[in-house]
mmCIF file of all heavy atoms in Angstrom:
data_model
loop_
_atom_site.group_PDB
_atom_site.id
_atom_site.type_symbol
_atom_site.label_atom_id
_atom_site.label_comp_id
_atom_site.label_asym_id
_atom_site.label_seq_id
_atom_site.Cartn_x
_atom_site.Cartn_y
_atom_site.Cartn_z
ATOM 1 N N CYS A 1 39.103 -18.410 -20.004
ATOM 2 C CA CYS A 1 38.460 -17.110 -20.249
ATOM 3 C C CYS A 1 38.190 -16.353 -18.943
ATOM 4 O O CYS A 1 37.592 -15.275 -18.964
ATOM 5 C CB CYS A 1 37.145 -17.308 -20.992
ATOM 6 S SG CYS A 1 37.318 -17.843 -22.695
ATOM 7 N N PHE A 2 38.604 -16.938 -17.827
ATOM 8 C CA PHE A 2 38.377 -16.365 -16.500
ATOM 9 C C PHE A 2 36.893 -16.237 -16.182
ATOM 10 O O PHE A 2 36.467 -15.295 -15.537
ATOM 11 C CB PHE A 2 39.106 -15.021 -16.339
ATOM 12 C CG PHE A 2 40.578 -15.130 -16.571
ATOM 13 C CD1 PHE A 2 41.133 -14.718 -17.770
ATOM 14 C CD2 PHE A 2 41.410 -15.687 -15.608
ATOM 15 C CE1 PHE A 2 42.496 -14.843 -18.009
ATOM 16 C CE2 PHE A 2 42.768 -15.816 -15.832
ATOM 17 C CZ PHE A 2 43.313 -15.399 -17.032
ATOM 18 N N PHE A 3 36.108 -17.208 -16.659
ATOM 19 C CA PHE A 3 34.689 -17.287 -16.309
ATOM 20 C C PHE A 3 34.575 -18.091 -15.023
ATOM 21 O O PHE A 3 35.182 -19.147 -14.900
ATOM 22 C CB PHE A 3 33.879 -18.001 -17.390
ATOM 23 C CG PHE A 3 33.800 -17.322 -18.730
ATOM 24 C CD1 PHE A 3 33.226 -17.989 -19.787
ATOM 25 C CD2 PHE A 3 34.282 -16.044 -18.946
ATOM 26 C CE1 PHE A 3 33.123 -17.396 -21.047
ATOM 27 C CE2 PHE A 3 34.195 -15.435 -20.191
ATOM 28 C CZ PHE A 3 33.608 -16.122 -21.242
ATOM 29 N N LYS A 4 33.777 -17.609 -14.110
ATOM 30 C CA LYS A 4 33.576 -18.290 -12.830
ATOM 31 C C LYS A 4 32.157 -18.828 -12.729
ATOM 32 O O LYS A 4 31.192 -18.096 -12.948
ATOM 33 C CB LYS A 4 33.829 -17.335 -11.658
ATOM 34 C CG LYS A 4 35.230 -16.766 -11.612
ATOM 35 C CD LYS A 4 36.230 -17.796 -11.177
ATOM 36 C CE LYS A 4 37.609 -17.199 -11.055
ATOM 37 N NZ LYS A 4 38.641 -17.980 -11.654
ATOM 38 N N ILE A 5 32.058 -20.110 -12.394
ATOM 39 C CA ILE A 5 30.758 -20.736 -12.167
ATOM 40 C C ILE A 5 30.385 -20.588 -10.697
ATOM 41 O O ILE A 5 31.185 -20.860 -9.812
ATOM 42 C CB ILE A 5 30.799 -22.238 -12.546
ATOM 43 C CG1 ILE A 5 30.972 -22.389 -14.062
ATOM 44 C CG2 ILE A 5 29.534 -22.954 -12.070
ATOM 45 C CD1 ILE A 5 31.102 -23.825 -14.537
ATOM 46 N N SER A 6 29.144 -20.168 -10.452
ATOM 47 C CA SER A 6 28.625 -20.084 -9.080
ATOM 48 C C SER A 6 27.158 -20.492 -9.078
ATOM 49 O O SER A 6 26.539 -20.625 -10.127
ATOM 50 C CB SER A 6 28.796 -18.661 -8.527
ATOM 51 O OG SER A 6 28.040 -17.743 -9.286
ATOM 52 N N ASP A 7 26.620 -20.694 -7.897
ATOM 53 C CA ASP A 7 25.198 -21.051 -7.709
ATOM 54 C C ASP A 7 24.776 -22.244 -8.571
ATOM 55 O O ASP A 7 23.680 -22.261 -9.132
ATOM 56 C CB ASP A 7 24.284 -19.861 -7.997
ATOM 57 C CG ASP A 7 24.526 -18.685 -7.072
ATOM 58 O OD1 ASP A 7 25.155 -18.887 -6.012
ATOM 59 O OD2 ASP A 7 24.107 -17.572 -7.400
ATOM 60 N N PHE A 8 25.624 -23.244 -8.644
ATOM 61 C CA PHE A 8 25.370 -24.421 -9.481
ATOM 62 C C PHE A 8 24.273 -25.287 -8.867
ATOM 63 O O PHE A 8 24.316 -25.612 -7.688
ATOM 64 C CB PHE A 8 26.656 -25.244 -9.616
ATOM 65 C CG PHE A 8 26.516 -26.428 -10.520
ATOM 66 C CD1 PHE A 8 26.703 -26.302 -11.884
ATOM 67 C CD2 PHE A 8 26.173 -27.679 -10.012
ATOM 68 C CE1 PHE A 8 26.563 -27.393 -12.724
ATOM 69 C CE2 PHE A 8 26.016 -28.771 -10.846
ATOM 70 C CZ PHE A 8 26.215 -28.620 -12.214
ATOM 71 N N LYS A 9 23.258 -25.649 -9.702
ATOM 72 C CA LYS A 9 22.158 -26.502 -9.240
ATOM 73 C C LYS A 9 21.818 -27.513 -10.325
ATOM 74 O O LYS A 9 21.592 -27.143 -11.480
ATOM 75 C CB LYS A 9 20.914 -25.664 -8.944
ATOM 76 C CG LYS A 9 21.057 -24.732 -7.761
ATOM 77 C CD LYS A 9 19.777 -23.929 -7.544
ATOM 78 C CE LYS A 9 19.969 -22.879 -6.507
ATOM 79 N NZ LYS A 9 20.432 -21.609 -7.013
ATOM 80 N N LEU A 10 21.731 -28.773 -9.935
ATOM 81 C CA LEU A 10 21.289 -29.821 -10.859
ATOM 82 C C LEU A 10 19.774 -29.804 -10.954
ATOM 83 O O LEU A 10 19.093 -29.494 -9.989
ATOM 84 C CB LEU A 10 21.733 -31.195 -10.352
ATOM 85 C CG LEU A 10 23.213 -31.515 -10.445
ATOM 86 C CD1 LEU A 10 23.505 -32.833 -9.753
ATOM 87 C CD2 LEU A 10 23.654 -31.579 -11.904
ATOM 88 N N GLU A 11 19.253 -30.166 -12.116
ATOM 89 C CA GLU A 11 17.819 -30.350 -12.296
ATOM 90 C C GLU A 11 17.568 -31.848 -12.367
ATOM 91 O O GLU A 11 17.926 -32.491 -13.344
ATOM 92 C CB GLU A 11 17.334 -29.681 -13.588
ATOM 93 C CG GLU A 11 17.268 -28.188 -13.497
ATOM 94 C CD GLU A 11 16.677 -27.586 -14.756
ATOM 95 O OE1 GLU A 11 15.879 -28.261 -15.442
ATOM 96 O OE2 GLU A 11 17.032 -26.451 -15.059
ATOM 97 N N ILE A 12 16.976 -32.398 -11.347
ATOM 98 C CA ILE A 12 16.783 -33.840 -11.231
ATOM 99 C C ILE A 12 15.918 -34.398 -12.368
ATOM 100 O O ILE A 12 16.224 -35.443 -12.933
ATOM 101 C CB ILE A 12 16.147 -34.186 -9.859
ATOM 102 C CG1 ILE A 12 16.992 -33.629 -8.713
ATOM 103 C CG2 ILE A 12 15.959 -35.687 -9.715
ATOM 104 C CD1 ILE A 12 18.424 -34.065 -8.678
ATOM 105 N N GLU A 13 14.850 -33.700 -12.729
ATOM 106 C CA GLU A 13 13.919 -34.240 -13.724
ATOM 107 C C GLU A 13 14.523 -34.417 -15.116
ATOM 108 O O GLU A 13 14.107 -35.287 -15.849
ATOM 109 C CB GLU A 13 12.686 -33.355 -13.822
ATOM 110 C CG GLU A 13 11.731 -33.591 -12.693
ATOM 111 C CD GLU A 13 10.394 -32.964 -12.969
ATOM 112 O OE1 GLU A 13 10.310 -31.726 -12.915
ATOM 113 O OE2 GLU A 13 9.451 -33.714 -13.245
ATOM 114 N N SER A 14 15.455 -33.604 -15.480
ATOM 115 C CA SER A 14 16.061 -33.708 -16.814
ATOM 116 C C SER A 14 17.488 -34.240 -16.724
ATOM 117 O O SER A 14 18.373 -33.835 -17.469
ATOM 118 C CB SER A 14 16.037 -32.352 -17.519
ATOM 119 O OG SER A 14 14.728 -31.987 -17.832
ATOM 120 N N LYS A 15 17.687 -35.177 -15.796
ATOM 121 C CA LYS A 15 19.046 -35.682 -15.590
ATOM 122 C C LYS A 15 19.577 -36.431 -16.809
ATOM 123 O O LYS A 15 20.779 -36.507 -17.004
ATOM 124 C CB LYS A 15 19.130 -36.537 -14.329
ATOM 125 C CG LYS A 15 18.335 -37.814 -14.369
ATOM 126 C CD LYS A 15 18.446 -38.555 -13.047
ATOM 127 C CE LYS A 15 17.541 -39.771 -13.083
ATOM 128 N NZ LYS A 15 17.485 -40.439 -11.814
ATOM 129 N N ASP A 16 18.680 -36.963 -17.659
ATOM 130 C CA ASP A 16 19.142 -37.622 -18.888
ATOM 131 C C ASP A 16 19.878 -36.654 -19.800
ATOM 132 O O ASP A 16 20.644 -37.069 -20.661
ATOM 133 C CB ASP A 16 17.963 -38.219 -19.663
ATOM 134 C CG ASP A 16 17.367 -39.425 -18.963
ATOM 135 O OD1 ASP A 16 17.985 -39.942 -18.010
ATOM 136 O OD2 ASP A 16 16.275 -39.856 -19.376
ATOM 137 N N TYR A 17 19.629 -35.365 -19.632
ATOM 138 C CA TYR A 17 20.281 -34.328 -20.432
ATOM 139 C C TYR A 17 21.313 -33.554 -19.608
ATOM 140 O O TYR A 17 21.767 -32.496 -20.035
ATOM 141 C CB TYR A 17 19.232 -33.365 -21.004
ATOM 142 C CG TYR A 17 18.342 -34.042 -22.026
ATOM 143 C CD1 TYR A 17 17.186 -34.702 -21.632
ATOM 144 C CD2 TYR A 17 18.675 -34.048 -23.373
ATOM 145 C CE1 TYR A 17 16.372 -35.343 -22.569
ATOM 146 C CE2 TYR A 17 17.874 -34.690 -24.304
ATOM 147 C CZ TYR A 17 16.732 -35.337 -23.895
ATOM 148 O OH TYR A 17 15.941 -35.975 -24.814
ATOM 149 N N ASN A 18 21.654 -34.093 -18.431
ATOM 150 C CA ASN A 18 22.579 -33.420 -17.517
ATOM 151 C C ASN A 18 22.172 -31.965 -17.297
ATOM 152 O O ASN A 18 23.000 -31.059 -17.347
ATOM 153 C CB ASN A 18 24.021 -33.520 -18.022
ATOM 154 C CG ASN A 18 24.536 -34.931 -17.934
ATOM 155 O OD1 ASN A 18 24.636 -35.497 -16.850
ATOM 156 N ND2 ASN A 18 24.826 -35.534 -19.072
ATOM 157 N N ALA A 19 20.889 -31.766 -17.080
ATOM 158 C CA ALA A 19 20.342 -30.420 -16.912
ATOM 159 C C ALA A 19 20.843 -29.780 -15.630
ATOM 160 O O ALA A 19 20.906 -30.414 -14.578
ATOM 161 C CB ALA A 19 18.814 -30.490 -16.896
ATOM 162 N N CYS A 20 21.190 -28.505 -15.750
ATOM 163 C CA CYS A 20 21.607 -27.748 -14.582
ATOM 164 C C CYS A 20 21.443 -26.258 -14.865
ATOM 165 O O CYS A 20 21.225 -25.842 -16.004
ATOM 166 C CB CYS A 20 23.052 -28.068 -14.201
ATOM 167 S SG CYS A 20 24.269 -27.728 -15.482
ATOM 168 N N ASN A 21 21.528 -25.487 -13.804
ATOM 169 C CA ASN A 21 21.492 -24.027 -13.868
ATOM 170 C C ASN A 21 22.684 -23.516 -13.072
ATOM 171 O O ASN A 21 23.081 -24.132 -12.077
ATOM 172 C CB ASN A 21 20.215 -23.480 -13.221
ATOM 173 C CG ASN A 21 18.975 -23.995 -13.883
ATOM 174 O OD1 ASN A 21 18.821 -23.877 -15.086
ATOM 175 N ND2 ASN A 21 18.088 -24.581 -13.101
ATOM 176 N N PHE A 22 23.228 -22.401 -13.505
ATOM 177 C CA PHE A 22 24.314 -21.786 -12.750
ATOM 178 C C PHE A 22 24.510 -20.354 -13.213
ATOM 179 O O PHE A 22 23.898 -19.913 -14.192
ATOM 180 C CB PHE A 22 25.627 -22.584 -12.888
ATOM 181 C CG PHE A 22 26.097 -22.815 -14.304
ATOM 182 C CD1 PHE A 22 26.956 -21.938 -14.936
ATOM 183 C CD2 PHE A 22 25.693 -23.950 -15.001
ATOM 184 C CE1 PHE A 22 27.396 -22.167 -16.224
ATOM 185 C CE2 PHE A 22 26.130 -24.193 -16.289
ATOM 186 C CZ PHE A 22 26.991 -23.290 -16.907
ATOM 187 N N LYS A 23 25.335 -19.651 -12.495
ATOM 188 C CA LYS A 23 25.749 -18.319 -12.927
ATOM 189 C C LYS A 23 27.156 -18.438 -13.496
ATOM 190 O O LYS A 23 27.982 -19.186 -12.981
ATOM 191 C CB LYS A 23 25.734 -17.336 -11.763
ATOM 192 C CG LYS A 23 24.350 -16.896 -11.366
ATOM 193 C CD LYS A 23 24.402 -15.794 -10.342
ATOM 194 C CE LYS A 23 23.006 -15.348 -9.972
ATOM 195 N NZ LYS A 23 23.049 -14.363 -8.885
ATOM 196 N N LEU A 24 27.392 -17.707 -14.547
ATOM 197 C CA LEU A 24 28.719 -17.624 -15.152
ATOM 198 C C LEU A 24 29.062 -16.148 -15.189
ATOM 199 O O LEU A 24 28.495 -15.387 -15.983
ATOM 200 C CB LEU A 24 28.686 -18.230 -16.565
ATOM 201 C CG LEU A 24 30.025 -18.505 -17.220
ATOM 202 C CD1 LEU A 24 30.771 -19.603 -16.456
ATOM 203 C CD2 LEU A 24 29.843 -18.921 -18.665
ATOM 204 N N ASN A 25 29.950 -15.737 -14.262
ATOM 205 C CA ASN A 25 30.271 -14.308 -14.112
ATOM 206 C C ASN A 25 28.983 -13.468 -14.056
ATOM 207 O O ASN A 25 28.853 -12.472 -14.761
ATOM 208 C CB ASN A 25 31.158 -13.816 -15.255
ATOM 209 C CG ASN A 25 32.576 -14.331 -15.146
ATOM 210 O OD1 ASN A 25 32.853 -15.263 -14.410
ATOM 211 N ND2 ASN A 25 33.477 -13.738 -15.888
ATOM 212 N N ASN A 26 28.047 -13.902 -13.254
ATOM 213 C CA ASN A 26 26.773 -13.216 -13.008
ATOM 214 C C ASN A 26 25.754 -13.319 -14.139
ATOM 215 O O ASN A 26 24.670 -12.753 -14.030
ATOM 216 C CB ASN A 26 26.989 -11.753 -12.606
ATOM 217 C CG ASN A 26 27.684 -11.656 -11.270
ATOM 218 O OD1 ASN A 26 27.344 -12.391 -10.344
ATOM 219 N ND2 ASN A 26 28.668 -10.786 -11.166
ATOM 220 N N GLN A 27 26.073 -14.008 -15.230
ATOM 221 C CA GLN A 27 25.081 -14.305 -16.261
ATOM 222 C C GLN A 27 24.346 -15.574 -15.813
ATOM 223 O O GLN A 27 24.979 -16.534 -15.382
ATOM 224 C CB GLN A 27 25.755 -14.573 -17.618
ATOM 225 C CG GLN A 27 26.583 -13.421 -18.122
ATOM 226 C CD GLN A 27 25.760 -12.386 -18.862
ATOM 227 O OE1 GLN A 27 24.544 -12.327 -18.737
ATOM 228 N NE2 GLN A 27 26.415 -11.562 -19.636
#
């Protein structure tokens, strides 16, 4: 879909849920 992931950050506390935050085409 030509979506780009940027600013990827893992959330250590919710690692059991593979928690993370990122931007997807600025969303």
Side-chain angles (χ1 to χ4, degrees):
C1 290
F2 303 102
F3 295 172
K4 300 287 183 226
I5 292 177
S6 63
D7 298 343
F8 183 86
K9 293 180 188 89
L10 288 173
E11 286 185 27
I12 304 303
E13 282 193 288
S14 292
K15 65 182 175 186
D16 289 348
Y17 293 88
N18 291 298
C20 59
N21 301 306
F22 55 91
K23 285 188 179 175
L24 193 66
N25 287 16
N26 294 317
Q27 301 276 18

